[in-house]
Amino acid sequence: MSPFGWALVERSARLLQGDDQESVLGDLTEENQSAWRGLFEILNLFFRRQAFLWWNLKPWIAGFLVVLPSSYLLMYVSVSVSCTYARLVYHKLLLGKAYTGPEGYFLLLCHIFLLLAWSWVAGYVAASLSRRTAWVSVALAVATCSWYSPQTTWGDLSIPRILFFLFVPPALLGLWQGFRGVPVTRNVAALLAIAITLLMIIAWSRNALWSLNWLLIWPAWCLVTIAGKPSLVAAQTN
Amino acid sequence: MDAGSDYYHNVAIIMLGEFEYLLITAASGLGDEAYGASVREEITTATGRKCSLGALYTTIDRLEAKGLLKTWMGNATAERGGRAKRMIRVTAKGVLAAKEFYDAVVRVSRGAAWAENQAGRDS
């Protein structure tokens, strides 16, 4: 195998986990396979492993029941928080009245807390449920945000586009912590879920919560069911 | 029978797939020399068909998850560019599953023309 071919094979082998990388590259060296054959073998194994992961329900739940709806809804929540903030602090109406209502400072703080909590929980739960398919979850979030990009669906943009993505930093933090297996105790998860539920009820009772936002409650309670379980740590190898 | 023993009973009687049987049999025949490349070569020689590393390693994982194989990383060798082998050992449960598969094939083959011919040639 030429040095260039071998470099290509070694680079593609990074797609595999540590032990797989070691044994597959060793096997290919021992069998003196060509670079193309080696590349084919590695990609074949990688795609089989990825396909195998999707036989489990967890990646589907993480991607399509947590990340997809959360990223779509949290974009709207980000805009709503920005508009309320601009109205209260700068006395400016951004994007008309559609994204801000009768909220005062208390409800603004409620919304800010909810935005941070919803985003972090969604990221953490998605990564905890299925670490090795976390990249698919990220791709789904990016696709959702691109599909509903501000330019195409929000009409006249009078606010910086970054305000549509306020949810991204806490979501990425949650994703990273879930990915690293940072433990969350059942008590902390329950406290967080209860706080989120109470604040949502308060916001809902004052007409300051969009009905679809109730979908954002379920990752928080999902976190309660998976928090503190040994399987959460074991899931890091899945 | 409690739930646990019922589960293991059911696992024990699940029939192996053809490739799973080939892999266990090849690994068993190679003994202490069973690892990815050697098992692949054994299967290729025996069947005349190339088996991909993807099929091999995903099947090894599946059989290990069922408790039919045990694997571990062996020593690195110069022949492999200083990389370790993934060593394979067939467990007692794996031997039992392979024997059940083999017995089933022999039983179902009784009366088949090719099996009759084979028996005639052997005797």
Side-chain angles (χ1 to χ4, degrees):
Chain A
M1 201 183 293
S2 69
F4 172 75
W6 183 246
L8 187 71
V9 168
E10 274 197 315
R11 193 161 282 270
S12 62
R14 289 183 192 169
L15 291 167
L16 306 174
Q17 299 279 302
D19 280 356
D20 264 354
Q21 240 183 70
E22 181 84 359
S23 46
V24 166
L25 286 176
D27 287 354
L28 292 173
T29 308
E30 189 179 327
E31 293 170 350
N32 200 20
Q33 298 280 6
S34 69
W36 290 116
R37 185 74 204 173
L39 192 64
F40 168 79
E41 297 280 11
I42 286 168
L43 292 178
N44 180 291
L45 178 56
F46 170 72
F47 284 114
R48 277 173 186 262
R49 288 241 187 278
Q50 286 297 317
F52 183 70
L53 294 175
W54 292 87
W55 279 101
N56 194 310
L57 263 182
K58 286 178 180 177
W60 296 97
I61 294 173
F64 293 95
L65 294 182
V66 175
V67 171
L68 201 66
S70 295
S71 48
Y72 173 75
L73 292 169
L74 288 170
M75 256 194 345
Y76 285 85
V77 177
S78 297
V79 172
S80 172
V81 166
S82 304
C83 290
T84 307
Y85 184 82
R87 178 174 57 78
L88 290 173
V89 177
Y90 298 111
H91 307 289
K92 271 176 71 177
L93 266 184
L94 302 177
L95 297 171
K97 288 183 179 173
Y99 299 100
T100 180
E103 302 93 339
Y105 281 101
F106 173 71
L107 280 175
L108 174 64
L109 287 176
C110 260
H111 280 170
I112 291 172
F113 174 83
L114 284 172
L115 175 64
L116 294 173
W118 282 331
S119 313
W120 181 85
V121 166
Y124 187 89
V125 168
S128 299
L129 282 175
S130 182
R131 191 183 76 123
R132 283 168 67 183
T133 58
W135 68 273
V136 177
S137 298
V138 172
L140 275 174
V142 171
T144 309
C145 293
S146 309
W147 186 262
Y148 295 100
S149 77
Q151 211 162 17
T152 55
T153 54
W154 300 74
D156 176 39
L157 271 182
S158 51
I159 59 174
R161 199 166 303 167
I162 196 167
L163 296 180
F164 291 81
F165 303 108
L166 294 179
F167 71 97
V168 172
L172 284 179
L173 177 69
L175 194 77
W176 183 76
Q177 289 183 323
F179 196 79
R180 298 293 301 266
V182 173
V184 174
T185 64
R186 175 78 52 95
N187 287 345
V188 170
L191 200 67
L192 188 61
I194 290 168
I196 288 174
T197 308
L198 284 177
L199 289 177
M200 287 178 77
I201 292 170
I202 291 170
W204 174 256
S205 65
R206 299 183 188 193
N207 292 325
L209 193 77
W210 193 27
S211 315
L212 277 178
N213 283 353
W214 282 104
L215 288 174
L216 293 167
I217 203 173
W218 99 266
W221 288 101
C222 180
L223 178 63
V224 177
T225 65
I226 62 174
K229 278 189 181 174
S231 60
L232 184 63
V233 179
Q236 302 317 307
T237 59
N238 291 334
Chain B
M1 193 180 280
D2 63 13
S5 57
D6 191 34
Y7 170 77
Y8 286 112
H9 174 73
N10 287 335
V11 167
I13 62 166
I14 288 172
M15 183 72 87
L16 291 176
E18 171 210 343
F19 188 67
E20 291 176 332
Y21 174 75
L22 286 174
L23 202 158
I24 288 179
T25 307
S28 177
L30 286 163
D32 290 343
E33 288 304 310
Y35 63 94
S38 67
V39 169
R40 185 154 99 126
E41 193 186 345
E42 190 74 5
I43 292 173
T44 305
T45 308
T47 63
R49 286 184 298 176
K50 196 92 179 160
C51 111
S52 74
L53 281 179
L56 183 80
Y57 280 109
T58 48
T59 307
I60 287 172
D61 286 351
R62 194 167 59 243
L63 291 173
E64 191 170 23
K66 288 181 187 172
L68 307 181
L69 289 181
K70 182 172 165 36
T71 72
W72 69 97
M73 295 306 286
N75 294 330
T77 63
E79 183 195 16
R80 296 168 57 84
R83 298 185 189 277
K85 298 170 179 173
R86 185 168 175 190
M87 307 303 294
I88 303 165
R89 183 183 298 141
V90 183
T91 63
K93 203 170 150 187
V95 170
L96 182 70
K99 191 175 178 320
E100 280 180 359
F101 182 93
Y102 179 78
D103 289 344
V105 170
V106 169
R107 275 197 304 274
V108 82
S109 302
R110 278 180 202 143
W114 56 88
E116 293 293 320
N117 292 342
Q118 185 69 43
R121 222 179 10 236
D122 288 346
S123 58

